[in-house]
């Protein structure tokens, strides 16, 4: 191949690459007026969602739009810049009184190859629901009931003043300052929940560690593979299970409960005095603590159990 042909070939390849990487970005800002507690729903097919509390009479929305066309001029997906311009000009925002929906794109042609990340400021008393197909969700200082979901991405939720429902297909869940009922589930990733109230807790991960702090109500914590740590008062029944991992439970020394602990392969140890029911076993321990009370049911397929 001579130099002229070689240069022409390289130029052609560079042009093809450029055509295969068409992309565009844009941003929109909107401010809505509300009165009193609001219901806000935020949806993104692909993008991060960040929500925090602010002015009690406003909902402030910033959308970061990205559009790409991986096959450039050879694709029928449309011009990325045109898509971005249309969305920026007419953002997917609906309002009916105190009800606000953000992110519902009606035009299917605008959904293909488009990602929108949202930064939203809402009144503290807002009841909130967020959903993203792929992206991280961050929520801070919301007093209303909160529902956060992601197909794939971490959920980081702080100072939730009511019930919390958090679910992700793959990613960590971190929730602190939860004063209501807390439900958290991930297909793969660690779960950490810190409670300030006495609401029930349900935490599950297919693979990852589970950490619960401040539990005062009913507790159901499980993982297919990973350690579990639970701290609280055992004022209601607790159920803690792991397929493979260690379990560590930290409770007040004056806590009253009935213990059922078993490990298929590992020891069971308690720093608290236990009145044993039946015979002592290396891999199981059953009895009452301080006269008994709510049931503390703990098991692991492989690992030790420690009660402190």
């Amino acid at each position: 191949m001579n130099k002229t042909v070689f240069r022409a070939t390289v130029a052609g390849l560079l042009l093809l690459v450029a055509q295969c990487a068409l992309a565009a970005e844009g941003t929109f800002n909107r401010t809505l007026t509300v009165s009193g507690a609001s219901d806000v729903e935020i949806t993104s097919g692909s993008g991060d969602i960040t929500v925090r509390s602010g002015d009690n009479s406003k909902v402030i929305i910033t959308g970061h739009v990205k559009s790409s066309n991986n096959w450039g001029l050879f694709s029928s997906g449309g011009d990325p810049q045109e898509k971005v311009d249309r969305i920026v000009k007419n953002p997917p925002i609906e309002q009916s009184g105190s009800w606000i929906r953000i992110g519902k794109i009606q035009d299917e042609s605008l959904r293909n190859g488009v990602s929108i990340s949202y930064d939203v400021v809402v009144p503290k008393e807002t009841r909130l629901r967020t959903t993203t197909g792929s992206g991280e969700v961050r929520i801070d200082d919301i007093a209303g009931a909160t529902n956060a979901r992601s197909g794939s991405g971490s959920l980081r939720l702080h100072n939730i003043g009511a019930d919390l429902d958090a679910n992700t297909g793959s990613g960590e869940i971190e929730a602190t300052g939860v004063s209501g009922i807390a439900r958290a589930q991930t297909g793969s990733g660690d779960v950490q929940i810190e409670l300030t109230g006495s609401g029930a807790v349900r935490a599950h991960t297919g693979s990852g560690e589970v950490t619960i702090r401040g539990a005062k109500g009913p507790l159901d914590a499980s993982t297919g593979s990973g350690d579990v740590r639970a701290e609280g008062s055992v004022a209601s029944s607790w159920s803690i299970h792991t397929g493979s991992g260690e379990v560590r439970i930290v409770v007040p020394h004056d806590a009253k409960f009935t213990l059922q602990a078993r490990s298929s392969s590992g020891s069971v140890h308690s720093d608290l005095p236990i009145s044993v029911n039946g015979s002592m076993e290396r891999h199981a321990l059953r009895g009452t603590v301080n006269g008994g009370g709510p049931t503390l049911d703990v098991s692991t397929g492989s690992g030790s159990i420690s009660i402190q």
Side-chain angles (χ1 to χ4, degrees), residues 86-107:
R86 289 175 61 187
I87 292 173
V88 168
K89 182 179 180 180
N90 186 25
I93 300 172
E94 304 172 59
Q95 180 179 14
S96 177
S98 62
W99 177 84
I100 295 170
R101 182 165 66 177
I102 302 166
K104 182 68 174 180
I105 299 177
Q106 303 291 348
D107 189 340

Side-chain angles (χ1 to χ4, degrees), residues 48-126:
D48 298 338
I49 297 175
T50 300
V51 184
R52 60 182 175 85
S53 64
D55 193 315
N56 284 333
S57 63
K58 296 179 181 178
V59 173
I60 303 171
I61 307 159
T62 301
H64 306 280
V65 188
K66 295 181 179 180
S67 179
S68 62
N69 188 336
N70 291 333
W71 292 102
L73 299 179
F74 297 96
S75 171
S76 59
D79 178 14
Q81 188 62 61
E82 181 185 2
K83 290 183 179 180
V84 169
D85 291 344
R86 289 175 61 187
I87 292 173
V88 168
K89 182 179 180 180
N90 186 25
I93 300 172
E94 304 172 59
Q95 180 179 14
S96 177
S98 62
W99 177 84
I100 295 170
R101 182 165 66 177
I102 302 166
K104 182 68 174 180
I105 299 177
Q106 303 291 348
D107 189 340
E108 184 176 353
S109 67
L110 290 180
R111 295 198 295 266
N112 296 328
V114 173
S115 169
I116 307 178
S117 292
Y118 291 98
D119 293 309
V120 183
V121 181
V122 299
K124 186 180 179 70
E125 300 299 324
T126 294

Side-chain angles (χ1 to χ4, degrees), residues 295-307:
T295 299
L296 172 53
D297 186 2
V298 190
S299 69
T300 174
S302 175
S304 63
I305 296 173
S306 174
I307 300 171

Side-chain angles (χ1 to χ4, degrees), residues 239-274:
S239 177
I240 300 172
H241 304 284
T242 174
S244 175
E246 297 185 351
V247 178
R248 183 182 179 191
I249 298 170
V250 180
V251 297
H253 280 261
D254 61 353
K256 299 179 179 181
F257 57 90
T258 299
L259 177 66
Q260 297 180 3
R262 57 202 176 277
S263 171
S264 299
S265 175
S267 62
V268 179
H269 171 78
S270 175
D271 289 345
L272 280 66
I274 297 178

